[in-house]
Amino acid sequence: MKNKILVIEDDRAISELLCMNLTIAGYETVAAYDGIEAQRLLLWNEDADLAVVDIMLPGRDGFALMEDFRAKNLPVIYLTAKDDVASKVKGLKLGAEDYMVKPFEMLELLVRIEKILERTGRAKRILTIKNIQADLQSHQILKDGIPVNLKPLEYDLFILLLQNKNIALGREELLKRVWGEEYLGESRTVDVHIGQLRKKLELYDEIKTIPKLGYRLED
């Protein structure tokens, strides 16, 4: 099953970009383009897991919608051009989980979504690719139903790739998020672990090398 993200954004180009990237990352998306439509959207999406919301919306702005989100107990990330401190404080005080200012980095938004879903207990616990299942609750990887023994860093690296399917991740990004900010070793350690994942999971074609950058898990 996929997590469902509501995208409430009146700029259709930005909305389409958000929905496209969220879909590529493995989420289901539903879009609304104004505050009134967003209210109707909430009524029909009881299984939604998170909303990405612009503030300056026609009909009813993002701040006014927070009452509806709270009634549904739905986590919210404000994604807005309003970069003043007063608006950020207001948004967070109203109950938003996070507040991001446009222009934004898509990868950063995906990380924040992932963290909020995990923190709120909404993250889907089973991730899949081909004949492989990753159970995030038991920390178990199954291939054709049979457990695969991955070392802790191999597991963390594979889950990161799996949670960002079809997105290119640089070696430095992988090092930072798997090995940690304090890691001082060589980036080649990523290559070694990728090699082990390809071998153990037989994902030779799916884990793509991106020249001069890093890797991408393609589904």
Side-chain angles (χ1 to χ4, degrees):
M1 293 181 64
K2 298 180 179 181
N3 283 112
K4 181 186 286 188
I5 310 295
L6 305 186
V7 176
I8 303 170
E9 165 65 62
D10 65 317
D11 185 318
R12 289 184 180 258
I14 295 177
S15 177
E16 290 173 5
L17 177 67
L18 285 167
C19 289
M20 180 186 69
N21 281 276
L22 288 168
T23 300
I24 289 172
Y27 296 105
E28 179 182 349
T29 63
V30 184
Y33 304 102
D34 61 60
I36 305 303
E37 187 182 1
Q39 285 182 298
R40 290 197 295 268
L41 195 66
L42 284 169
L43 291 175
W44 296 101
N45 287 275
E46 296 290 343
D47 58 342
D49 298 297
L50 183 143
V52 178
V53 185
D54 189 12
I55 291 174
M56 294 180 285
L57 295 167
R60 200 156 187 244
D61 71 24
F63 288 148
L65 285 170
M66 185 56 77
E67 182 179 347
D68 301 282
F69 297 130
R70 287 203 306 266
K72 293 283 189 178
N73 194 30
L74 188 67
V76 170
I77 297 178
Y78 279 128
L79 185 62
T80 176
K82 291 177 72 67
D83 60 355
D84 60 287
V85 174
S87 294
K88 183 172 184 179
V89 169
K90 181 177 180 179
L92 295 174
K93 279 190 172 183
L94 283 173
E97 292 284 339
D98 211 337
Y99 190 108
M100 290 183 66
V101 175
K102 301 172 185 174
F104 62 96
E105 291 290 339
M106 186 59 66
L107 183 57
E108 181 183 358
L109 175 61
L110 291 173
V111 170
R112 294 192 187 202
I113 288 173
E114 175 189 320
K115 295 300 181 186
I116 290 170
L117 291 174
E118 289 176 354
R119 187 169 67 245
T120 57
R122 292 167 177 263
K124 298 299 188 236
R125 310 315 291 170
I126 304 292
L127 302 175
T128 62
I129 183 169
K130 287 185 63 180
N131 57 339
I132 298 167
Q133 283 191 331
D135 188 326
L136 302 185
Q137 188 166 358
S138 66
H139 277 236
Q140 192 172 41
I141 305 295
L142 302 176
K143 182 174 179 289
D144 294 321
I146 300 171
V148 178
N149 182 30
L150 296 184
K151 295 177 181 178
L153 287 173
E154 291 172 351
Y155 173 86
D156 290 344
L157 179 59
F158 179 57
I159 294 301
L160 180 58
L161 291 170
L162 200 50
Q163 289 174 327
N164 294 276
K165 280 190 293 188
N166 303 309
I167 296 174
L169 298 173
R171 286 179 179 81
E172 294 304 319
E173 178 73 18
L174 293 170
L175 281 172
K176 181 171 66 175
R177 293 175 61 184
V178 175
W179 280 262
E181 298 274 2
E182 307 303 317
Y183 180 76
L184 299 176
E186 296 181 359
S187 62
R188 188 178 179 280
T189 190
V190 174
D191 304 332
V192 173
H193 283 74
I194 288 290
Q196 289 300 311
L197 288 178
R198 283 173 169 155
K199 182 177 180 181
K200 291 181 178 182
L201 300 174
E202 297 183 339
L203 293 175
Y204 298 102
D205 295 329
E206 289 74 21
I207 302 179
K208 302 288 188 182
T209 300
I210 310 302
K212 298 183 179 179
L213 177 64
Y215 298 95
R216 179 176 62 237
L217 179 62
E218 293 188 355
D219 188 6

